[in-house]
């Protein structure tokens, strides 16, 4: 981050001559900085009047610079009340006394998802040109896109059961039979896996069952903290006061986990639940959870175990990261190894991590009784169609999946 800010400083002093920056000129400054970074500043005669002598950088470096400036901007805004590096702040500068800190913070909250939106034109050009905007046509993808469909159940079963790690098996099972994104799984707390009898407590329209309950809580606003009473606290607040942590989507370190957003089954608590396509695999997932808690967690040093609330951990006691929250890089490496164990090439055809969710979708389509609106609810897609009252009744949703399992006997078999 310091390097990126230093480069921006050099650009302002050398390339722009150290001119004063206003809220109105800030977007153009940022745009010019990124154009110079991606296109370079050295002319055809190998001369650079600015003295920067920047060579063109690739798209990954551009993304890293953009992320660093966003984080630096947020820090300066919260700590000192400075203007954020976002073009929408210019609408606040027209007031006689300038924007107040409250106005700046409010505007930043509204615009933080559109950070550097003025670079959208540059990003839209990237599919046409190479990463250095050189005018060279980008290579086209080869292969049949329809190959990315689903993983056959017999191969998926072999892939899961041949995986040694308990945690990695949990990830694969929940993705394939619960339709859960990897980023969502990395935000699951230990208290989010419960017996099915708790369903009506957290989801009043549902009913108790023998199918395990897995909760997906909003990593910032979720109000279920593992307690059956509501005290108004959010997960963001609980992480800060108990673990001195921030939600994983807010991190920029290697243990960051994203969050795409979803339709919430309980809007008050900001939580949703997993809808299992197979009760047998759901029971197996709960069995793995119990093994993790009863056999592996007691081996973790107390200081590490109490440093975070997440259930997916590095479960290899032979590494220095034993007990730490599982990282996306860990999942990717485990997926590659799992694919090779069954003689499949990772990230080819259906054998990519998101292929687990694709397999879940394909399984849902096997049941003709499941409507499009209900499929959207199973996947927690925030679509207007999923607001259909018929598709919103969780009891009907579970009954639909029982029909599916009756029609597909292979879903009832694990071994």
């Amino acid at each position: 981050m310091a390097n990126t800010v230093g480069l921006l400083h050099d650009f302002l002093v050398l390339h722009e001559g150290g001119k004063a920056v206003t809220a109105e000129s800030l977007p153009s400054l940022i745009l010019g900085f990124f154009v110079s970074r991606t296109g370079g500043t050295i002319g055809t005669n190998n001369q650079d009047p600015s003295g920067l002598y920047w060579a063109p950088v690739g798209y990954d470096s551009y993304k890293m610079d953009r992320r660093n400036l966003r984080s630096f901007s947020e820090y300066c805004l919260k700590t000192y009340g400075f203007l954020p590096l976002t073009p929408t702040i210019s609408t606040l500068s027209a007031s006689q006394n300038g924007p107040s800190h409250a106005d700046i913070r409010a505007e930043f909250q509204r615009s933080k998802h559109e950070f550097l939106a003025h670079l959208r034109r540059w990003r839209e050009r990237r599919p046409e040109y190479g990463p250095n905007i050189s005018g060279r046509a980008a290579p086209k993808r080869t292969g049949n896109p329809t190959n990315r469909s689903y993983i056959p159940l017999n191969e998926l079963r072999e892939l899961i059961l041949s995986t040694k790690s308990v945690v990695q098996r949990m990830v694969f099972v929940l993705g394939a039979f619960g339709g859960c994104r990897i980023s969502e799984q990395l935000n699951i707390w230990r208290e989010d896996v419960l017996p099915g009898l708790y369903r009506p407590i957290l989801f009043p329209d549902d009913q108790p069952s023998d199918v395990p309950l897995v909760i997906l809580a909003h990593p910032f606003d979720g109000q279920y903290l593992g307690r059956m009473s509501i005290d108004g606290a959010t997960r963001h607040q609980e992480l800060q006061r108990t673990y001195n942590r921030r939600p994983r989507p807010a991190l920029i370190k290697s243990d960051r986990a994203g969050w795409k957003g979803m339709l919430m089954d309980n809007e008050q608590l900001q939580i949703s639940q997993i809808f299992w396509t197979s009760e047998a695999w759901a029971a197996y997932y709960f069995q793995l959870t119990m093994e993790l808690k009863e056999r592996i967690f007691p081996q973790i040093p107390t200081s590490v175990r109490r440093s975070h609330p997440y259930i997916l951990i590095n479960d290899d006691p032979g590494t220095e990261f034993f007990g730490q929250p599982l990282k996306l890089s860990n999942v990717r490496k485990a997926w590659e190894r799992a694919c090779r164990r069954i003689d499949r090439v990772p990230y080819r055809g259906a054998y990519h991590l998101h292929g687990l969710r694709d397999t879940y979708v394909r399984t849902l389509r096997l049941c003709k009784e499941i409507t499009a609106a209900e499929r959207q609810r199973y996947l927690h897609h925030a679509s207007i169609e999923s607001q259909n009252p018929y598709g919103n009744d969780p009891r009907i949703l579970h009954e639909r999946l029982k029909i599916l399992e009756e029609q597909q006997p292979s879903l009832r078999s694990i071994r």
Side-chain angles (χ1 to χ4, degrees), residues 142-203:
T142 58
N144 184 0
T146 59
N147 286 341
R148 293 181 61 176
S149 52
Y150 65 93
I151 304 173
L153 191 57
N154 62 324
E155 295 185 8
L156 183 60
R157 182 187 299 110
E158 182 183 357
L159 181 147
I160 294 172
L161 297 181
S162 65
T163 298
K164 181 180 178 180
S165 166
V166 171
V167 169
Q168 298 294 353
R169 271 183 279 162
M170 291 171 60
V171 172
F172 300 157
V173 170
L174 192 57
F177 301 100
C180 191
R181 297 183 181 93
I182 304 301
S183 59
E184 295 167 354
Q185 297 195 47
L186 296 178
N187 284 287
I188 295 177
W189 289 15
R190 297 165 204 155
E191 295 83 359
D192 292 339
V193 182
L194 299 165
L197 59 90
Y198 286 100
R199 275 195 168 84
I201 298 177
L202 295 173
F203 304 97

Side-chain angles (χ1 to χ4, degrees), residues 57 73 119 158 166 221 254-255 299 318:
V57 299
S73 172
L119 291 175
E158 182 183 357
V166 171
D221 302 328
S254 60
D255 56 346
Q299 303 178 38

Side-chain angles (χ1 to χ4, degrees), residues 47-58:
Q47 297 298 315
D48 184 359
S50 68
L52 290 172
Y53 287 95
W54 285 351
V57 299

Side-chain angles (χ1 to χ4, degrees), residues 241-271:
R241 69 189 182 188
T242 303
Y243 304 100
N244 194 26
R245 283 179 173 267
R246 299 177 67 193
R248 296 188 72 174
L251 302 178
I252 60 174
K253 299 184 296 183
S254 60
D255 56 346
R256 183 183 187 276
W259 183 262
K260 191 173 183 179
M262 62 170 61
L263 180 71
M264 293 298 173
D265 298 323
N266 186 326
E267 290 287 346
Q268 182 183 7
L269 297 182
Q270 284 291 290
I271 59 176

Side-chain angles (χ1 to χ4, degrees), residues 233-410:
T234 66
R235 295 215 160 185
H236 192 178
Q237 295 168 332
E238 181 73 2
L239 284 170
Q240 179 63 43
R241 69 189 182 188
T242 303
Y243 304 100
N244 194 26
R245 283 179 173 267
R246 299 177 67 193
R248 296 188 72 174
L251 302 178
I252 60 174
K253 299 184 296 183
S254 60
D255 56 346
R256 183 183 187 276
W259 183 262
K260 191 173 183 179
M262 62 170 61
L263 180 71
M264 293 298 173
D265 298 323
N266 186 326
E267 290 287 346
Q268 182 183 7
L269 297 182
Q270 284 291 290
I271 59 176
S272 292
Q273 64 169 307
I274 289 295
F275 292 98
W276 295 95
T277 56
S278 168
E279 292 188 8
W281 283 101
Y284 181 63
Y285 181 87
F286 194 76
Q287 174 187 333
L288 292 173
T289 303
M290 292 299 100
E291 181 180 355
L292 177 66
K293 291 182 176 181
E294 296 174 1
R295 181 176 66 84
I296 300 177
F297 267 90
Q299 303 178 38
I300 302 174
T302 303
S303 60
V304 176
R305 191 170 63 249
R306 293 179 179 177
S307 67
H308 69 88
Y310 301 106
I311 191 169
L312 296 183
I313 60 167
N314 186 316
D315 60 349
D316 183 357
T319 70
E320 60 178 312
F321 303 105
F322 179 51
Q324 296 289 351
L326 190 68
K327 300 178 182 180
L328 181 58
S329 59
N330 301 141
V331 181
R332 287 173 174 162
K333 293 175 183 177
W335 176 255
E336 293 170 5
R337 293 193 297 267
C339 288
R340 293 191 179 100
R341 276 196 297 270
I342 63 171
D343 296 325
R344 289 293 180 266
V345 179
Y347 306 110
R348 178 175 294 179
Y351 291 88
H352 50 98
L353 277 171
H354 199 72
L356 296 171
R357 185 169 165 89
D358 291 341
T359 300
Y360 177 83
V361 175
R362 190 260 181 182
T363 305
L364 293 177
R365 293 183 181 277
L366 293 175
C367 183
K368 302 302 182 183
E369 287 82 359
I370 295 179
T371 67
E374 289 169 342
R375 273 200 308 273
Q376 290 166 351
R377 182 64 185 276
Y378 291 134
L379 295 165
H380 297 104
H381 284 162
S383 169
I384 188 63
E385 294 184 33
S386 63
Q387 302 299 321
N388 185 301
Y390 182 70
N392 272 344
D393 191 329
R395 291 171 295 181
I396 295 178
L397 294 174
H398 290 301
E399 290 300 323
R400 286 282 189 269
L401 294 178
K402 288 184 178 180
I403 296 175
L404 169 63
E405 197 166 12
E406 291 173 359
Q407 295 176 348
Q408 304 294 323
S410 57

